[in-house]
Amino acid sequence: MAPVDPHSYTDSTHPLTNHIALTFYFDFPSSTIFTSTLISLPAPHSGPFTLDTRSLSISSVLDPTTHKPLPFTLAAAIDPILGQYVTITLSNQSQDTPAARVRYTAKLNVPLHLSAVMAAKHVERKDPVAGESLGACEDSVWCEEGRVVEEFVMEQPVPPYLFAFAVGELGFREVGPRTRVYAEAVPNILDAASKEFAGTEEMIRVGERLFGPYDWERFDLLVLPPSFPYGGMENPRMVFLTPTVIKGDATGAQVVAHELAHSWTGNLITNKTNDHFWLNEGFTTYAERRIVEAVQGEDRAALNIGIGWRGLVEEMDRFKDNMEFTKLKTNQEGVDPDDIYSQVPYEKGFQFLWRIERQIGRPAFDVFLKKYIATFKFQSIDTDTFIDFLKANIPGIEEQIDLELWVEGTGIPPDAMEPVSNIYSKIVSLANEFQLGRMPKEDEVADWHGQEWELYLENLPKSVEASQVSALDARYRLSESKDYEVKVAFLQLAISSRCRDYYYEVEKTLKEVGRMKYLRPLYTALVQGTGKEEEKTFAKRVFSEACDCYHPIARGVVEAILAKFS
């Protein structure tokens, strides 16, 4: 239950949460989590206290001091985006918005043979004690034989959306002094993950050199099942990852670099609302590429930027009928963020910061960036706050760069820039030659990894002859790639070229992964456009057979795609 103020994020009369104490009882046979949440306010408050809820069944609201019920009401209407408001009437009681940051403690009661991990500091694993459930369940249930309590604490203030835990049969491998890799207790999965992420400590040290001290003590990684809908989730202390980032050649470490970069950007400094999401992701993408450049070299960073540039260009076409969502500072009132999730805040945000760096030089920008992080760490800000800070610390910048165009303008500003590097230019040139019937020679691609192939495929024309697609795959086996970035890019090309020989591989992919980055383009390629009745029927059948294995968010995204082009 995440508190929100539905009216204003700056209303000083709205009580901000000071601390949350949570208890959870996991009942696996009934697929139910029983929980109690103790919300503490920094000062006594009287009047309504409004929170949003989603998919919760609320049994009671109590004053923790007197244990007497507090009046509460649930809104009659359920908002499809925010859920259902619950309003609690307080009378001088000491009891968040997406802008708020809170500290918390948590106790997770789980079966003895399972383990719990959390994006917080682990305190201890212990026997259950009567009275500590805070009403999540009866003491007799809490203290049943065969149960254990895992206790955690988050001592730094974090935004509520970064609260995360996982329970299961988990194992781990140590990969550095500050990092463990957790996954299902399957040796080959753990071994592959630990090999992929062996360089994590080096990236942490590079980040500290570039951006200042690492404030979260540990940086652990949890590899989740394939249904996880995102590439990674940047929870402080423990990043959650999809298994598709394990690619066998250490390039998956770049996803870790992105989530690590959040440790100095999005986790330390939070955007007040989704209208300012670029403050999280633009800064994080910039920081990620600086880490990649330092660890893996300038060419690797240029490839990263090039793939991002191509993605940004494609988003302009996607939103051509609603350019509002090509802005950095957007108006998302009444819009489900999952419906408009895109690369714009990441890549246009990166381009904006990169433009500032080019204007004032990297040494001066590094000084600015460290000061920005030190000034706003553990706070929530908005775009206007950043722009004011930028103008105050880089005098005259508004005369050198059109800040308003970058922040509030649509599309890609004319002073944005593609990367410049020999490898990037070579790959784009080879992609252009494919249109003339020339396939890259084996010696030209001998040292290519996933990113090179991804960039090559992304720069091919959207529709080529089916025979060309088959010939390319016959030589390089791209449809069999273990790198899903490459595989999905190739399958999109096959679909757009009506090369139906690969539809079995499309079906297999859609049934074995749940990451929205792959589901969205494949389903869209199948159903978008004219004369695709066979593909639409195919897509609907595959979805009906696979949807139970998708995360609810991913399932909703695919349903929207199928409905839009039905």
Side-chain angles (χ1 to χ4, degrees), residues 394-412:
I394 307 178
I397 190 67
E398 67 273 25
E399 298 170 7
Q400 301 163 326
I401 299 174
D402 190 337
L403 302 180
E404 185 175 352
L405 175 65
W406 270 99
V407 171
E408 305 202 37
T410 60
I412 302 175

Side-chain angles (χ1 to χ4, degrees), residues 340-451:
I340 59 163
Y341 177 83
S342 77
Q343 293 302 302
V344 172
Y346 297 78
E347 298 300 339
K348 189 174 179 179
F350 163 79
Q351 285 283 342
F352 181 32
L353 299 175
W354 197 30
R355 174 68 183 89
I356 299 170
E357 180 204 286
R358 294 198 303 275
Q359 184 65 42
I360 66 175
R362 176 167 286 185
F365 189 71
D366 282 352
V367 171
F368 167 81
L369 193 56
K370 284 185 177 180
K371 185 175 182 180
Y372 166 76
I373 293 170
T375 300
F376 295 111
K377 66 192 299 185
F378 297 116
Q379 297 180 48
S380 298
I381 68 169
D382 58 20
T383 301
D384 293 341
T385 303
F386 169 74
I387 294 298
D388 289 344
F389 184 81
L390 177 68
K391 292 177 180 178
N393 287 273
I394 307 178
I397 190 67
E398 67 273 25
E399 298 170 7
Q400 301 163 326
I401 299 174
D402 190 337
L403 302 180
E404 185 175 352
L405 175 65
W406 270 99
V407 171
E408 305 202 37
T410 60
I412 302 175
D415 49 347
M417 192 175 84
E418 280 190 84
V420 177
S421 80
N422 291 335
I423 183 65
Y424 176 78
S425 299
K426 175 185 175 182
I427 292 171
V428 173
S429 176
L430 286 172
N432 291 334
E433 291 179 2
F434 187 82
Q435 301 180 55
L436 305 176
R438 181 181 180 274
M439 195 181 303
K441 299 175 183 177
E442 292 187 11
D443 63 334
E444 292 175 310
V445 302
D447 58 350
W448 282 16
H449 296 290
Q451 280 198 315

Side-chain angles (χ1 to χ4, degrees), residues 83-280:
Q84 188 174 25
Y85 289 130
V86 57
T87 300
I88 305 166
T89 303
L90 302 180
S91 180
N92 204 38
Q93 275 101 1
S94 302
Q95 275 199 301
D96 134 351
T97 76
R101 302 180 70 100
V102 299
R103 296 174 175 86
Y104 65 84
T105 58
K107 295 179 180 179
L108 284 65
N109 186 310
V110 303
L112 187 61
H113 67 284
L114 301 181
S115 301
V117 293
M118 196 168 195
K121 182 179 180 179
H122 187 255
V123 178
E124 61 177 334
R125 179 180 171 98
K126 64 184 186 67
D127 293 332
V129 176
E132 68 178 353
S133 74
L134 298 178
C137 61
E138 298 293 333
D139 282 346
S140 59
V141 176
W142 184 265
C143 298
E144 282 178 340
E145 187 176 351
R147 308 287 300 189
V148 68
V149 171
E150 303 265 23
E151 186 171 351
F152 300 86
V153 61
M154 174 52 74
E155 296 167 333
Q156 299 98 329
V158 298
Y161 73 87
L162 292 179
F163 169 89
F165 59 78
V167 178
E169 294 186 63
L170 301 174
F172 67 85
R173 296 281 190 273
E174 301 280 357
V175 296
R178 290 179 274 191
T179 304
R180 283 179 174 177
V181 175
Y182 291 85
E184 292 180 83
V186 179
N188 65 331
I189 295 177
L190 288 165
D191 291 344
S194 61
K195 181 179 179 180
E196 189 81 25
F197 307 128
T200 300
E201 178 61 25
E202 181 185 3
M203 290 194 293
I204 297 174
R205 291 175 180 171
V206 167
E208 289 181 313
R209 187 172 73 245
L210 290 171
F211 312 120
Y214 181 79
D215 285 313
W216 305 100
E217 299 173 10
R218 293 195 60 81
F219 183 72
D220 292 323
L221 309 171
L222 172 65
V223 180
L224 289 163
S227 60
F228 188 57
Y230 301 104
M233 187 62 200
E234 68 276 10
N235 316 300
R237 298 184 63 101
M238 176 172 279
V239 168
F240 287 12
L241 298 168
T242 172
T244 60
V245 303
I246 302 174
K247 303 179 181 182
D249 61 3
T251 58
Q254 292 196 27
V255 176
V256 174
H258 182 84
E259 307 308 335
L260 173 63
H262 272 282
S263 302
W264 291 277
T265 55
N267 290 354
L268 274 182
I269 305 169
T270 316
N271 51 288
K272 280 193 172 182
T273 72
N274 281 332
D275 293 352
H276 310 277
F277 187 52
W278 79 272
L279 284 167
N280 266 18

Side-chain angles (χ1 to χ4, degrees), residues 1-4 50-53 56 96 160:
M1 193 159 60
V4 299
T50 303
L51 306 95
D52 67 321
T53 72
L56 295 181
D96 134 351

